[in-house]
C-alpha cells in the first residue's frame, strides 16, 4: 500500500511538472507549424512567471495572473513576429535576443517586486493564490491511475488544450492553412491565404502560451518571489520537445510528461544516499537530450525525414 | 477574354509593349515565345500577380480590374504554374481545397475527395485524393494543379509550359484532357516554346517577341519554320549538324558500377546504376526531372557520397574522392543550380573564373600568395574564348544574364593547364532557362569538346536536346536505368515509354549497343 501511494505521488508530481513543458511546447508547435521558430521561450516564461505571480498576489486571483501572463508574453512576441515576418530577419538571432530580453526583465521585475512592492502582508497571500490539486471523488481514490484524477485545474486544462490544438491543426480549415503556410508559403499565398497574418497570429499565440507556462510554474508548482531565474532551462527543453513530438500536439503530451517524470525522479532520488553521486548526471539528462534534439533539427536531411515543416526558419517574401 | 493594349515596364526594360491578346470561349490558344519574350509577364498580369502600367482587361465584354490572384480566381481564371505550388507533405485533397471555404471550418475531406474523384473521372484521369504529393509523379502533380483550378470553376485556364516535366505519353494524355475541357466551353491559354506542341494542340497561336505581339495565326496556315522565324526574328537552323562519331569503346573515361545514392530525403534516388562513358562521345541521360539525375551527377562530381557502388574515372576509384581530387583529374562540372552551386553570386567575375584554379601554379605564386598578373591574363583569355559578356571583370557575377553565367561556368570548368586536361564534362540541364542564342552556344561548346575527344555526360529533361546531341542515350526512371540505346536506333516513342517506367530493356542489349 505504501508503494502504491508512492507511485501515486510520483505520477501526480510528474503530471504537474509535465504540464509546464506541455503548455510551452504546444505554443511552440503552433508557431513552428506556421514556419517560425521562437527560441525566446525561456525568456517569455520568465516574464510570464513574474507577471503571473505579481498580478495574482495583488488581485488575489490566480486566473487573472494566468491571463495577464499570457497577454504580456503575447505582446512581447509581437517583437519577434515583426522581426521575423515583416523584417525577414534571422529567426534564431531574433529568438535569442528575445530570450535575453525576457530573462532580464523577468528576473529584474521579480526582484524589484519583492524588494519594493511587496510587504510581508502580500507575501502571506502566496499560499492562498496557489493552485492545489483537486481530487475527483471516487476516481481520485483509485490506485495508481487515481493520480490522473488528482491534478490541479490547469493540468486538466492543458490536456484539453492539446486535444484542441491537434483538432484545429489537423481537422479544420484554419489548421490546414497554418500547416500549408509552414510547409510552402508560396503555395498558400497563391491559394489566397494571408501568410503574414497567419504567421503573426501563430507566433503571438505561441508566445502567449510560453507566458502561461511560466505563470503555471509559479502558481502551481513552486511559488516564490526571488530575483533569480526559476525557469532553469525548461524553455529550451520545451523547444526540443517540439521536435520530439514531431510537431504534433498529442505527441507533445507524451514528451512533456516523460520529462516531467524525469524532473520529479531526480528530485526524489536526491534524498537517497546511494544516488547522491548520480544526481548531477540525471539532472543533465533533459538538457543533453535537448541539445541532441536541437542538433538533429539543424541537420537538413534529418529534419526532412522526421517531418519538420519545410519552410521552418525561412522568411517568406513575395516574388 | 480580351487583354487590350497592355504595357508593362520593369526598371530598365519594357516587358510588354502595347500587347493585345484575345482568347475566345472554347479554344486552346497557344502563347509562343522565347524566354524573356513576355509570355509569363502577360499571364501574371491576367492572374493579378502584376498590374499593367497601361491597358485594360475585358472578360465577356466587361471591363474588369484584377488586383490580386484572388480577384482572378473570382473571375474564373485559373493558373497551372510552371513550378508547381504544392505542399509536398500534404495529400492531394488537402492541396486542392487549400484556401477554399466551401468544405467547412471543420474540413469535410470525404466530400472533397468525392468531388475530386468526380472531376478526375469527368476529364479522364486518375488520382488518389489521399496520396501525398511527394509520392506522385510530375505528371500527376500537374493534374493536382489542374484540379485546383477546376474546383474553383476556372473558365479560363492558363498553363505555363506544362509539358516540360512530362513524358511524351503523359503529354498526349494531358492534351486529351485539355481537349475535353475545351469542348465544355472552357478557354485554355497554353504557354510554350515547343513549336510542335503548339501546332498539334492549339486552335490559334499568338507569338510574342521581346514584348511585342508578332501575330496570331492558326496551325493550318503556318509551319514550324514559320513559327520559329516569328519567335526568333530570323531563320533558325533546326538541327545542329552532327556526324556520328565512332566511339572508341576500349577504355572508358568514366565507369559507374552498381551505384546507389540517397537523396536529401533519405530515399534511394539512384538504384544500381551502371554505365560507361567513352572518350569523344556525348552520353545523354534522358528522364523526367527528379528521377535521380541530379543525385547521380552530384555523386560523380564528388558532392554526394554514394551509399554503395563504384565510380571510376580513368581507372582510378573516385567513389570516396573529394570534389577537389575529381576536379584535378580533369572533370568539369556544370551544375543544375547555376546560381546556387555554379557561381558565388556576390563575388566578381574574375574571382568566379579563377576559382578552383587559384590554388595551383601559375595562378598561385606559392602557398599563400596569388599571382594577379597571371590571374587577370587568364581571366581575360577565358572570357574572350567563351564570349562572356560583362561590363567588367570586377562586376559581381550575379549581375550577368543567365546565358552569360553559364558561359562563365564553362569558362572556369573547361580551363586547362599543363597539369589538368579536361577529360569529362558533367553537364546537368545545361540549357535550362536559357534563350535560343545561349542554348545554341552551349550546345556547340559541348559538341566542340566532344570532337576534341572529351567524354560528355549530358543530363537533360529536354528530350529533343538529348536526341540532338547524344551519341548514346540512357533513360532513367525513378533512379533506375531503363535502357541504353545508341542515337541511330533511338526512337522517341520507346524512350518515352522508358521515361515513364513502362518499358525496360535488358542489360544484355545494353552491352551490345556501344559497338554500333
Amino acid at each position: 500500500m505504501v508503494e502504491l501511494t508512492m507511485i501515486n505521488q510520483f505520477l501526480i508530481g510528474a503530471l504537474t511538472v509535465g504540464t509546464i513543458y506541455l503548455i510551452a511546447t504546444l505554443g511552440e508547435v503552433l508557431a513552428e507549424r506556421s514556419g517560425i521558430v521562437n527560441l525566446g521561450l525561456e525568456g517569455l516564461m520568465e516574464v510570464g512567471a513574474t507577471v503571473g505571480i505579481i498580478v495574482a498576489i495583488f488581485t488575489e486571483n490566480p486566473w487573472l495572473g494566468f491571463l495577464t501572463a499570457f497577454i504580456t508574453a503575447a505582446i512581447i512576441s509581437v517583437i519577434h513576429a515583426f522581426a521575423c515576418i515583416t523584417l525577414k530577419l534571422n529567426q534564431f538571432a531574433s529568438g535569442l535576443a528575445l530570450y535575453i530580453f525576457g530573462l532580464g526583465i523577468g528576473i529584474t521585475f521579480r526582484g524589484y517586486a519583492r524588494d519594493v512592492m511587496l510587504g510581508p502582508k502580500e507575501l502571506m497571500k502566496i499560499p492562498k493564490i496557489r493552485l492545489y490539486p483537486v481530487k475527483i471523488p471516487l476516481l481520485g481514490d483509485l490506485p495508481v491511475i487515481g493520480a490522473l484524477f488528482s491534478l490541479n485545474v490547469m493540468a486538466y486544462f492543458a490536456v484539453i488544450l492539446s486535444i484542441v490544438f491537434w483538432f484545429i491543426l489537423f481537422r479544420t480549415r484554419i489548421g490546414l492553412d497554418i500547416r500549408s503556410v509552414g510547409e510552402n508559403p508560396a503555395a498558400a499565398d497563391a491559394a489566397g491565404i494571408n501568410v503574414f497574418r497567419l504567421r503573426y497570429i501563430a507566433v503571438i499565440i505561441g508566445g502567449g502560451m510560453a507566458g502561461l507556462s511560466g505563470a503555471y510554474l509559479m502558481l502551481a508548482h513552486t511559488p516564490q518571489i526571488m530575483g533569480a531565474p526559476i525557469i532553469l532551462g525548461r524553455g529550451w527543453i520545451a523547444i526540443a520537445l517540439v521536435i520530439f513530438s514531431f510537431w504534433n500536439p498529442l505527441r507533445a503530451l507524451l514528451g512533456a510528461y516523460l520529462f516531467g517524470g524525469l524532473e520529479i525522479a531526480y528530485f526524489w532520488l536526491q534524498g537517497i544516499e546511494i544516488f547522491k553521486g548520480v544526481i548531477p548526471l540525471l539532472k543533465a539528462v533533459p538538457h543533453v537530450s535537448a541539445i541532441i534534439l536541437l542538433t538533429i533539427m539543424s541537420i537538413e536531411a534529418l529534419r526532412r525525414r522526421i517531418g519538420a515543416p519545410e519552410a521552418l526558419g525561412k522568411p517568406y517574401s513575395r516574388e | 477574354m480580351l487583354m487590350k493594349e497592355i504595357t508593362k515596364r520593369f526598371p530598365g526594360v519594357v516587358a510588354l509593349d502595347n500587347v493585345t491578346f484575345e482568347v475566345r470561349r472554347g479554344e486552346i490558344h497557344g502563347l509562343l515565345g522565347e524566354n524573356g519574350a513576355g509570355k509569363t509577364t502577360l499571364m501574371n498580369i491576367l492572374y493579378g500577380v502584376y498590374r499593367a502600367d497601361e491597358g485594360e482587361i475585358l472578360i465577356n465584354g466587361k471591363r474588369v480590374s484584377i488586383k490580386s490572384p484572388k480577384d482572378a480566381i473570382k473571375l474564373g481564371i485559373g493558373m497551372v504554374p510552371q513550378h508547381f505550388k504544392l505542399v509536398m507533405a500534404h495529400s492531394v485533397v488537402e492541396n486542392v481545397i487549400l484556401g477554399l471555404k466551401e468544405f467547412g471550418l471543420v474540413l469535410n475531406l470525404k466530400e472533397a475527395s468525392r468531388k475530386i474523384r468526380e472531376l478526375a473521372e469527368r476529364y479522364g484521369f486518375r488520382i488518389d485524393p489521399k496520396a501525398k504529393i511527394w509520392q506522385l509523379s510530375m505528371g500527376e502533380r500537374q493534374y493536382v494543379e489542374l484540379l485546383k483550378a477546376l474546383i474553383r470553376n476556372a473558365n479560363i485556364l492558363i498553363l505555363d509550359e506544362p509539358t516540360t516535366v512530362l513524358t511524351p505519353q503523359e503529354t498526349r494524355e494531358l492534351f486529351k484532357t485539355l481537349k475535353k475541357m475545351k469542348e465544355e466551353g472552357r478557354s485554355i491559354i497554353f504557354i510554350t516554346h515547343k513549336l510542335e506542341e503548339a501546332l498539334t494542340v492549339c486552335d490559334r497561336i499568338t507569338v510574342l517577341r521581346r514584348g511585342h505581339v508578332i501575330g496570331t495565326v492558326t496551325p493550318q496556315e503556318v509551319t514550324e519554320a514559320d513559327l520559329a522565324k516569328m519567335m526568333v526574328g530570323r531563320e533558325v537552323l533546326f538541327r545542329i549538324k552532327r556526324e556520328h562519331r565512332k566511339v572508341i569503346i576500349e577504355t572508358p573515361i568514366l565507369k559507374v558500377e552498381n551505384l546507389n545514392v540517397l537523396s536529401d530525403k533519405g530515399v534511394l534516388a539512384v538504384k544500381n546504376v551502371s554505365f560507361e562513358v567513352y572518350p569523344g562521345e556525348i552520353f545523354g541521360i534522358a528522364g523526367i526531372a527528379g528521377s535521380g539525375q541530379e543525385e547521380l551527377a552530384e555523386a560523380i562530381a564528388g558532392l554526394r557520397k554514394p551509399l554503395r557502388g563504384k565510380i571510376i574515372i580513368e581507372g582510378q576509384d573516385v567513389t570516396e574522392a573529394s570534389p577537389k581530387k575529381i576536379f584535378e583529374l580533369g572533370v568539369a562540372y556544370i551544375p543544375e543550380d547555376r546560381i546556387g552551386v555554379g557561381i558565388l553570386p556576390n563575388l566578381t567575375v574574375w574571382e568566379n573564373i579563377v576559382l578552383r584554379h587559384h590554388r595551383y601554379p601559375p595562378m598561385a605564386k606559392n602557398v599563400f600568395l596569388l599571382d594577379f598578373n597571371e590571374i587577370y591574363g587568364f581571366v581575360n583569355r577565358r572570357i574572350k574564348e567563351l564570349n562572356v559578356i560583362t561590363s567588367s571583370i570586377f562586376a559581381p557575377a550575379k549581375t550577368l544574364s543567365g546565358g552569360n553565367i553559364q558561359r562563365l561556368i564553362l569558362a572556369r570548368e573547361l580551363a586547362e593547364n599543363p597539369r589538368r586536361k579536361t577529360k569529362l564534362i558533367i553537364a546537368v540541364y545545361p540549357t535550362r532557362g536559357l534563350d535560343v542564342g545561349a542554348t545554341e552556344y552551349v550546345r556547340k561548346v559541348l559538341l566542340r569538346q566532344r570532337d576534341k575527344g572529351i567524354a560528355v555526360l549530358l543530363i537533360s529533361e529536354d528530350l529533343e536536346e538529348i536526341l540532338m546531341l547524344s551519341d548514346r542515350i540512357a533513360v532513367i526512371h525513378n533512379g533506375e536505368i531503363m535502357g541504353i540505346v545508341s542515337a541511330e536506333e533511338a526512337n522517341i516513342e520507346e524512350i518515352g515509354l522508358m521515361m515513364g517506367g513502362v518499358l525496360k530493356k535488358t542489360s544484355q542489349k545494353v552491352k551490345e549497343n556501344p559497338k554500333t
Side-chain angles (χ1 to χ4, degrees), chain B residues 388-402:
Chain B
V388 182
I389 297 160
T390 170
S391 54
S392 140
I393 63 167
F394 299 103
K398 66 179 173 192
T399 58
L400 302 187
S401 69

Side-chain angles (χ1 to χ4, degrees), chain B residues 1 66 71 78 84 88 102 183 221 249 265 277 284 319 361 390 421 461 494:
Chain B
M1 198 281 307
I66 304 174
D71 295 340
F84 302 149
M88 300 299 268
E102 58 181 285
E183 280 155 21
E221 33 178 73
I249 58 159
K265 284 219 163 119
V277 185
T319 316
T390 170
K421 287 257 176 287
E461 64 209 331
E494 202 176 83

Side-chain angles (χ1 to χ4, degrees), chain A residues 171-173 179-180 183-184, chain B residues 86 94 98 100 105 107:
Chain A
R171 286 289 179 274
T172 68
R173 191 174 72 222
R179 285 185 292 128
S180 301
E183 289 282 347
N184 186 347
Chain B
L86 296 172
E94 283 176 316
L98 181 62
L100 283 182
L105 184 58
L107 293 169

